[in-house]
Amino acid sequence: RDVERSRGLGDVYKRQVLTQGGNILLETSTAGADDKKIFVHAPISSVTGNISLVANNDITQGLSGDLMVGMDGTIDVESKTGSIIMLDGASSVTAGGNIRYQANVNVLLGSLNAPLATVVIESVGEVLDNGDLDKDIVASNARIIAGNAIGTGNALDTALVNVAAQSGNGGIFLTDDDDLVVGVVAGSLVQRVTNSGVSVVHSDPIDSALAGLVTGATGQVVLTSLAGTLSTVSSRIVTNLLSALA
């Protein structure tokens, strides 16, 4: 079994390189006031499998805490009660599979890189740029949902083909390298590595397709292309969530 896990005995600190040919799971599952965290301070990679990091509390990727999968492997990171924090310089990279980051508080981005696939980010609070060493998101498609704000203070730096996003009143702020289509991005599946080492499709209740850029009633949308064309295709840019969903 290509599995590493912790169940409530303490925080997980990964300080050495972990390389496997199959699936990798890092998990802390204590509930309540004693929620445990995951700290990744060295690269984790799988040549042919999938990577899942699941914690009840925060997940932190340090400067060298990169996640990497080959072939069509996926990266699945979930903080059930806390935040996902990528320090500036930390990255998650797939060769052909999807990436999903999901947090109950905030997602602070280093770099999510899935050039041939889809990046999905879901946060109850905010999705923010946490540094400028790398592009925040590189992908064919990006689907971003935040309860409050996306890219406030420092717009998310992206290299995308298609994007759809939804925020609350904090608004949406994106700066893309080149041509960008505001369109429809479907909920894209990742593999969740189980305690037995087998991976299964990880579903989510809000995996339905997301269209356009939609904010709360007082949210702002600022979308910038540095060297290309911005297009809207069968989609909308709406700064009033209630009327957009009516």
Side-chain angles (χ1 to χ4, degrees):
R1 296 185 306 172
D2 298 319
V3 174
E4 175 165 339
R5 60 189 175 93
S6 170
R7 284 194 167 274
L9 299 179
D11 298 331
V12 172
Y13 294 85
K14 177 49 61 181
R15 291 194 174 95
Q16 296 180 347
V17 176
L18 175 61
T19 302
Q20 295 283 0
N23 293 325
I24 298 172
L25 167 68
L26 269 63
E27 179 183 22
T28 64
S29 57
T30 299
D34 199 31
D35 284 351
K36 300 304 180 182
K37 304 176 181 180
I38 294 176
F39 300 88
V40 182
H41 295 294
I44 299 174
S45 64
S46 174
V47 178
T48 59
N50 307 284
I51 295 175
S52 289
L53 273 57
V54 184
N56 269 357
N57 208 317
D58 295 343
I59 297 173
T60 300
Q61 288 179 243
L63 179 62
S64 299
D66 299 334
L67 309 180
M68 296 163 283
V69 293
M71 302 179 69
D72 59 352
T74 66
I75 295 176
D76 157 43
V77 179
E78 180 179 0
S79 170
K80 294 182 179 179
T81 67
S83 294
I84 300 171
I85 303 153
M86 303 178 72
L87 299 189
D88 194 14
S91 65
S92 293
V93 183
T94 67
N98 299 323
I99 296 175
R100 170 184 276 168
Y101 272 49
Q102 186 174 6
N104 196 53
V105 184
N106 299 319
V107 176
L108 307 183
L109 292 174
S111 179
L112 303 181
N113 193 318
L116 301 179
T118 298
V119 168
V120 175
I121 307 171
E122 299 171 0
S123 169
V124 174
E126 299 182 332
V127 177
L128 301 176
D129 182 345
N130 205 33
D132 295 319
L133 288 178
D134 302 293
K135 295 290 179 187
D136 296 310
I137 309 173
V138 178
S140 290
N141 306 289
R143 178 180 179 273
I144 310 168
I145 297 177
N148 182 37
I150 298 170
T152 54
N154 190 11
L156 299 188
D157 302 312
T158 65
L160 305 171
V161 178
N162 302 288
V163 66
Q166 177 179 303
S167 78
N169 290 332
I172 299 170
F173 301 83
L174 305 174
T175 299
D176 195 77
D177 277 354
D178 209 331
D179 296 343
L180 179 62
V181 175
V182 178
V184 178
V185 178
S188 297
L189 300 175
V190 294
Q191 296 288 320
R192 171 65 55 91
V193 182
T194 67
N195 296 325
S196 66
V198 176
S199 61
V200 297
V201 173
H202 179 50
S203 59
D204 186 86
I206 53 174
D207 268 339
S208 58
L210 184 65
L213 304 178
V214 182
T215 76
T218 60
Q220 299 172 320
V221 174
V222 178
L223 181 60
T224 303
S225 173
L226 297 178
T229 300
L230 297 175
S231 307
T232 58
V233 179
S234 301
S235 175
R236 66 242 173 114
I237 299 177
V238 183
T239 56
N240 185 328
L241 181 59
L242 292 179
S243 65
L245 298 180

